[in-house]
Amino acid sequence: EKKSEWKEKGIIDLDQFNIIDSLNIKYDKNTLNNMINKNNIKKPTILIINTDDMREKLNSKNINSKNTHLGIMDECHDISGDKIYETVYDLKYNGGIPFIGFSATPLRGKSSKIIEIFCKTMNAKSSDKKLNVISTYSLLDAIRDDIILPFKFHYIEVENTKGKNVGKTNKDITKKIIKSILPTLHYRKLIAWCRTIEQMKGWADFFEEEFPELKVYV
């Protein structure tokens, strides 16, 4: 259905490509290698693969400039992990494959690995490596283009917990704010980010107890 929809809308005709979907079919290393390097393939190949399989099954010996012309990496900030970085570095500088990355947070943390992979040069020894930003699209752009709802920003600063546990204070404040804001929302949907799994469980319990009218997903 998706293939037909994309074709009808002029986005892409996937029938013109040989697609290897390693996300939904777990090929072993040898099978994937044979599929990539088949000599009788008459169509350009799109290989869809996740980082786990990429680490284990790809290198510059089976993916190189002779049979691969471009790598596209989603959530490219994950290049900060040592193993995936080593794999992509090998593919780029030893396999000769340029990479394009997509990310909402490309420069979080240390950016040296991001720059190393997503710079223009294909010369590993170049001393003039800079992040090659092809395009950016921000939250502000999306609001201006009227494709997402504008946001209201509530800034809360806790000056003194008066001896209370900060965790409890956070929940007291959160409860008060949400109870005041919920009636004003057209869509009653809240998204929360937590630093750890334990914090997530604690906040899930909090929302289930304090806001039984809301469904909670973790």
Side-chain angles (χ1 to χ4, degrees):
E1 290 178 1
K2 279 292 182 188
K3 284 173 67 176
S4 298
E5 181 184 349
W6 291 348
K7 184 176 181 179
E8 289 169 6
K9 292 182 177 179
I11 298 170
I12 188 172
D13 180 3
L14 288 176
D15 292 328
Q16 301 298 315
F17 296 88
N18 172 50
I19 299 175
I20 303 174
D21 185 359
S22 189
L23 287 180
N24 295 305
I25 304 173
K26 291 295 180 183
Y27 302 106
D28 62 51
K29 187 173 183 177
N30 291 331
T31 302
L32 186 60
N33 185 59
N34 291 335
M35 294 178 73
I36 292 168
N37 293 291
K38 268 186 180 179
N39 293 321
N40 61 346
I41 297 175
K42 302 300 181 184
K43 301 177 181 179
T45 294
I46 297 175
L47 167 62
I48 306 169
I49 192 165
N50 62 23
T51 50
D52 285 341
D53 278 357
M54 190 174 177
R55 281 191 292 260
E56 299 297 325
K57 300 172 184 177
L58 299 186
N59 55 53
S60 56
K61 293 179 181 177
N62 63 359
I63 293 280
N64 53 60
S65 57
K66 291 181 179 178
N67 62 5
T68 307
H69 303 286
L70 178 66
I72 298 176
M73 188 172 185
D74 196 17
E75 303 290 358
C76 68
H77 50 263
D78 283 341
I79 204 76
S80 57
D82 289 339
K83 186 63 178 175
I84 192 65
Y85 170 73
E86 290 168 7
T87 301
V88 179
Y89 185 97
D90 177 49
L91 293 174
K92 176 173 180 174
Y93 291 112
N94 297 322
I97 303 166
F99 273 81
I100 291 176
F102 298 140
S103 175
T105 54
L107 292 178
R108 71 181 188 190
K110 294 181 179 179
S111 60
S112 58
K113 291 181 179 178
I114 293 278
I115 294 171
E116 195 77 31
I117 300 302
F118 301 105
C119 59
K120 282 186 177 181
T121 183
M122 300 296 287
N123 178 6
K125 296 180 180 180
S126 172
S127 59
D128 186 31
K129 293 177 181 175
K130 298 176 182 177
L131 187 65
N132 181 31
V133 179
I134 297 172
S135 68
T136 60
Y137 194 79
S138 70
L139 184 66
L140 186 57
D141 294 325
I143 293 171
R144 284 173 175 160
D145 291 343
D146 198 27
I147 62 171
I148 66 170
L149 293 172
F151 59 88
K152 291 181 180 179
F153 188 79
H154 298 264
Y155 179 79
I156 300 97
E157 181 177 356
V158 181
E159 293 182 350
N160 190 342
T161 62
K162 294 183 179 178
K164 292 183 179 179
N165 178 278
V166 174
K168 182 178 186 303
T169 302
N170 280 341
K171 289 175 180 176
D172 288 343
I173 294 170
T174 302
K175 177 181 175 181
K176 182 177 180 179
I177 292 170
I178 292 179
K179 283 190 178 296
S180 67
I181 292 175
L182 272 180
T184 70
L185 297 179
H186 185 69
Y187 297 105
R188 292 158 60 84
K189 182 184 291 184
L190 309 171
I191 301 173
W193 284 267
C194 301
R195 212 173 263 280
T196 66
I197 292 175
E198 286 306 311
Q199 285 182 354
M200 179 189 69
K201 290 177 180 177
W203 280 105
D205 291 341
F206 164 79
F207 277 101
E208 286 177 344
E209 291 169 7
E210 300 294 343
F211 301 94
E213 72 276 21
L214 298 178
K215 292 181 180 179
V216 178
Y217 300 91
V218 297

